[in-house]
Amino acid sequence: MTPSDPTRTLADLENGIPFVARHLGPDDSELATMAEVIGVGSLDELADRAVPPGIRTATDAGPGTLPPAATESEALAELRALAARNNPTVPMIGLGYHGTVTPPVIRRSVLENPAWYTAYTPYQPEISQGRLEALLNFQTVVSDLTGLPVAGASMLDEATAAAEAMTLVRRAGRAASPRFLVDADTLPRTLAVLHTRAEPLGIEIVEADLTGGELPDGEFFGVLLSYPGASGSVADHASLVEQAHARGAKVVVAADPLALTLLRAPGEIGADVAVGSTQRFGVPLGFGGPHAGYLAVRDELRRQLPGRLVGLSVDADGNPALRLALQTREQHIRREKATSNICTAQVLLAVIASMYAVYHGPDGLRAIATRAHRMAAVLAAALRAGGVEVLDGAFFDTLVARVAAGQADAVLAAAHARGIALRRVDDDRVGVSCSELTTRAHLVDVAAAFGVTVTPAELDELDAATPDALPAALRRESDYLTHPVFHRYRSETALLRYLRRLADADMALDRGMIPLGSCTMKLNAAAEMEPITWPGFADLHPHAPAADADGTLTLIADLERWLAELTGYAAVSLQPNAGSQGELAGLLAIRAYHRDRGEGHRDVCLIPASAHGTNAASAVMAGMRVVVVACDDNGDVDLADLRAKIDEHGVSLGALMITYPSTHGVYEAGVREVCSAVHEAGGQVYLDGANLNALLGLAKPGEFGGDVSHLNLHKTFCIPHGGGGPGVGPVAVREHLAPYLPDRGAGAVSGAEYGSPGVLPISWAYLRMMGADGLRRATLVAVAAANYVARRLSAHYPVLYTGPGGFVAHECILDLRPLTAATGVTVDDVAKRLADYGLHAPTMSFPVAGTLMVEPTESENLAELDRFCDAMISIRSEIDRVAAGEWPVEDNPLRGAPHTAACIADKWDHPYPRELAAYPTGATEGKVWPPVRRIDGAHGDRHLVCSCPPVEAYG
């Protein structure tokens, strides 16, 4: 206590500055300025005037069991204690997850680097060239290893990639059969997800033992083969592929990419599609995720590819430039006609995997694969020499050994006592998987667990005498990773500089605000990020014994409980590893609920016209029929049209999907009436939680009408977007839907039981450090920031939708359509010009074409909010000069944007000064130079190049 400040206690001084003050951008004085512009006296008054009283919680005290806010040091100490309760043994379980080494230069320069983890989806490609190049490298790795020419920019995981491949070959093929044949030696979780995804679509999964080399009788539209199988067995599938094609079926091969450095590529044996996981390319186990799945196809299937695809195009000066290609497949365009609800990827993990391949190159990857294989081959020889039966003669890195009846558990216990986790196949079979982590000492310990004594010297003798366990006919002879990028960066210095160069070609949250509406690019605090690389969390195998994962399971239980209370729901599942998967899980729960009550005929899903396109795609995937409900002039759900649609579909009504606050960024006053109308008709309400960050501490969806919601941890709860993933989309339900959560009554929706636990410490830390009061304040500051931007810009750009009193929620839509009609300046022109100001553009043309949707979040201070507003006002003055005829429509600073350093230094023949092009505010400090000029999207779609082009293409 000091004489100058007698209110400061020792406890206050000990706790220091609370985390909430670090998380929130504006301080009290800045908030007072913002409130004055908005026209309110306080944040509480803003809440009272902007948020409908009918949805407010009975008390603003927050959830009862969310503990008081902790300091950063306290939260990290608690997380260390949880990590210490885990026991990450040597992972030799397999089943699609393997021990790997994340090279420290990649861990430090990518995974722990905000230049990479705070980036968003590269919808503005001119300022996203770094992550796009990294993703192009990823696509090239996948394409080269699979022998298929077109690969996507990553999938959510291997299991969902297999499910996407199943629906891809169904829509692309001509076979009339609804049957999809699956090799019995498929990873169990992949099989579980296939069953979940197949049933609502009328697909029949047929499992068959294909070890005999013959397909079963009957017709199939597709076949899934595993290479290697879940057992580790490696088989020549060429004959099966030929048989499938002869019957008109297409073939999907699930392949381990590390094994493909030694084995013939799926494309070389005739596969149409290949899927798998790149986890073992340097991505930590993380108790199951996040990991970058992959999907590659033959050239004729490229336009059927789900998810994202990076392609090569040219910029305005004819220079090569990268962009997301074939974007007409996005769900917001195709909606209920979409054949996939995937709208995200695993970009951060794909970048890690791609850089792992860049760093090691083909020779390094081959050496790592050879090590894993030789470890398994020598172990098999040692076990056989000790009298243990090894079942398969051909394998890559995984073998299955038979033990005495009922002795499998004893072997596992003996291995566990030595710090090694093996796989229990059944009572008398044990699986063992080797990896780049496996050492000869591990082989000695594993052999001992089987009762076989072998010394390191004897292992060396066995090594010299033991042949490989790969069939000669399957040995890979084709080259891969021949592009120079996989040969240039062998030293850490070289890779470090390459990663820095790529990062400098991007604009992420570490360089300025990203005001993307509907995307919530808020601070991802360093204290939240720090624990994800701790071995206690990062090195856990998803199939480890529960006792070895006690700390993570406790963290998961905490999160599920806290999220349930924050949202007013009864139960939460963290399994969905993206918002789109959370949508699907919620709709599957509704579908299962209706069917169990004898009302399976309730299959109509009402969706407002303003909804995000994944809503409609998810409904179709859940076996529902989409019926669109109109919006009124205020952007709200048209109650008259809603009631008419309810009356029209009567007992067929299954659900309504709405987003709250609405996709238009408004708190709809009639939401309770909307929900009640659906409930009265026997339907369920799916309340999309994408905008939950505008509700926390103020209202709970489960209390004002929602039956189920998905929550975007990567939006509201600080998991970083990482360039377009990872994401986590938990599903929260009321009590009556709890029995139908994933892996309970509605089947698996993700490859791991808990989805992506590797990043859950981020959200746990955020909630622990914010506390209930901090969360409420964050909500109000986000709403204040959006209303401040709307008020400042409303005189220059019409704000399209507002609620009662003229307030918006956490985002606002600026209407550029009148300006475009009057001047020819488009929303694209404004977005690209913002890059010259050193700012990322808001969301373009969603949910209304020709508009910008702005979401400033609570993390930006007043200076940054004003920097954005000043830039938009300055751009409006530039538009006015076009309107006045000072500059032609086709040659002005907006149409010429973005301007690179090279074009500024070149011969200048434009009617506007080069100084204005380069430095629109007049300030030169901190200038961000876009690496390329405006990219020609149409050229890229016509001349699609989706893997690293030859060097001469850059000449």
Side-chain angles (χ1 to χ4, degrees), residues 321-530:
L322 303 172
R323 61 183 279 275
L324 291 181
L326 304 178
Q327 293 193 72
T328 55
R329 294 169 298 130
E330 292 287 345
Q331 288 76 21
H332 68 267
I333 295 173
R334 300 190 66 182
R335 301 181 66 81
E336 67 271 13
K337 293 183 175 61
T339 50
S340 166
N341 72 344
I342 296 293
C343 72
T344 185
Q346 296 284 22
V347 172
L348 187 64
L349 301 316
V351 170
I352 292 171
S354 75
M355 292 307 161
Y356 181 91
V358 166
Y359 198 35
H360 289 296
D363 294 339
L365 293 181
R366 190 180 295 110
I368 292 168
T370 301
R371 170 181 174 166
H373 174 67
R374 290 301 302 167
M375 289 287 179
V378 172
L379 175 61
L383 292 178
R384 289 188 180 110
V388 177
E389 180 186 3
V390 177
L391 299 184
D392 289 306
F395 53 80
F396 167 56
D397 64 357
T398 299
L399 56 91
V400 174
R402 191 185 303 280
V403 297
Q407 291 303 301
D409 288 337
V411 173
L412 263 64
H416 192 270
R418 293 168 169 81
I420 297 172
L422 305 181
R423 176 168 65 97
R424 184 186 191 277
V425 179
D426 54 30
D427 286 347
D428 60 355
R429 289 183 296 169
V430 174
V432 186
S433 290
C434 298
S435 69
E436 69 171 311
L437 297 183
T438 307
T439 65
R440 290 181 298 158
H442 294 148
L443 301 188
V444 170
D445 285 340
V446 170
F450 281 92
V452 174
T453 301
V454 61
T455 67
E458 289 170 335
L459 282 178
D460 291 341
E461 292 174 4
L462 284 169
D463 183 21
T466 301
D468 285 347
L470 296 176
L474 290 181
R475 284 282 186 177
R476 180 155 195 157
E477 297 180 358
S478 57
D479 290 333
Y480 49 88
L481 306 190
T482 58
H483 192 275
V485 74
F486 301 107
H487 298 265
R488 288 174 175 164
Y489 307 109
R490 289 292 174 274
S491 73
E492 181 169 325
T493 304
L495 185 67
L496 183 72
R497 290 171 181 164
Y498 179 54
L499 290 169
R500 174 59 185 265
R501 178 175 71 77
L502 294 185
D504 286 347
D506 275 14
M507 186 178 292
L509 202 65
D510 64 328
R511 302 179 81 169
M513 72 183 292
I514 301 180
L516 284 156
S518 189
C519 296
T520 321
M521 292 296 296
K522 63 169 70 179
L523 171 70
N524 315 123
E528 298 158 7
M529 296 295 296
E530 182 181 334

Side-chain angles (χ1 to χ4, degrees), residues 645-730:
K645 295 291 171 56
I646 290 174
D647 291 342
E648 177 184 352
H649 296 284
V651 295
S652 296
L653 177 62
L656 166 75
M657 292 187 82
I658 55 171
T659 301
Y660 200 86
S662 74
T663 310
H664 291 140
V666 175
Y667 293 105
E668 295 189 37
V671 66
R672 277 192 179 272
E673 186 177 352
V674 168
C675 296
S676 295
V678 173
H679 286 147
E680 289 168 5
Q684 297 284 289
V685 174
Y686 182 103
L687 201 148
D688 189 315
N691 297 335
L692 184 67
N693 59 310
L695 295 177
L696 283 181
L698 302 177
K700 298 180 178 182
E703 292 183 353
F704 65 75
D707 295 293
V708 54
S709 294
H710 87 269
L711 322 173
N712 293 83
L713 298 193
H714 48 292
K715 293 184 178 181
T716 303
F717 299 99
C718 290
I719 288 175
H721 293 64
V728 180

Side-chain angles (χ1 to χ4, degrees), residues 791-832:
R791 288 288 198 274
R792 278 212 63 193
L793 295 182
S794 60
H796 308 277
Y797 305 92
V799 175
L800 191 54
Y801 299 111
T802 60
F807 295 99
V808 298
H810 61 302
E811 58 194 8
C812 61
I813 297 177
L814 306 178
D815 192 357
L816 273 68
R817 292 173 299 179
L819 287 173
T820 299
T823 68
V825 175
T826 69
V827 67
D828 293 77
D829 295 333
V830 174
K832 305 310 179 187

Side-chain angles (χ1 to χ4, degrees), residues 150-394:
V150 182
S154 76
M155 303 297 290
L156 299 176
D157 58 31
E158 179 169 351
T160 53
E164 294 289 340
M166 173 180 69
T167 54
L168 184 157
V169 298
R170 190 188 196 194
R171 65 179 177 266
R174 298 179 179 177
S177 171
R179 304 168 79 211
F180 186 66
L181 178 66
V182 180
D183 183 357
D185 201 16
T186 296
L187 294 173
R189 289 294 299 188
T190 296
L191 193 55
V193 171
L194 287 173
H195 278 287
T196 300
R197 295 280 290 272
E199 189 273 333
L201 300 176
I203 296 173
E204 178 187 350
I205 301 292
V206 178
E207 299 176 43
D209 182 351
L210 302 178
T211 54
E214 295 292 331
L215 295 181
D217 294 336
E219 297 302 315
F220 313 94
F221 70 82
V223 178
L224 174 66
L225 306 173
S226 293
Y227 185 61
S231 67
S233 176
V234 173
D236 188 342
H237 293 314
S239 175
L240 291 172
V241 173
E242 185 177 350
Q243 294 174 51
H245 286 162
R247 298 194 200 179
K250 294 191 181 298
V251 177
V252 181
V253 173
D256 178 345
L258 190 64
L260 296 181
T261 65
L262 302 180
L263 294 172
R264 287 179 65 195
E268 294 173 359
I269 62 172
D272 301 289
V273 183
V275 299
S277 170
T278 59
Q279 175 269 316
R280 67 191 311 173
F281 278 28
V283 182
L285 287 164
F287 202 45
H291 303 138
Y294 75 79
L295 195 156
V297 299
R298 293 200 172 281
D299 190 68
E300 59 268 25
L301 298 176
R302 66 169 59 187
R303 295 186 183 273
Q304 302 287 341
L305 196 70
R308 294 181 180 149
L309 180 70
V310 175
L312 179 69
S313 186
V314 295
D315 74 356
D317 292 331
N319 297 313
L322 303 172
R323 61 183 279 275
L324 291 181
L326 304 178
Q327 293 193 72
T328 55
R329 294 169 298 130
E330 292 287 345
Q331 288 76 21
H332 68 267
I333 295 173
R334 300 190 66 182
R335 301 181 66 81
E336 67 271 13
K337 293 183 175 61
T339 50
S340 166
N341 72 344
I342 296 293
C343 72
T344 185
Q346 296 284 22
V347 172
L348 187 64
L349 301 316
V351 170
I352 292 171
S354 75
M355 292 307 161
Y356 181 91
V358 166
Y359 198 35
H360 289 296
D363 294 339
L365 293 181
R366 190 180 295 110
I368 292 168
T370 301
R371 170 181 174 166
H373 174 67
R374 290 301 302 167
M375 289 287 179
V378 172
L379 175 61
L383 292 178
R384 289 188 180 110
V388 177
E389 180 186 3
V390 177
L391 299 184
D392 289 306

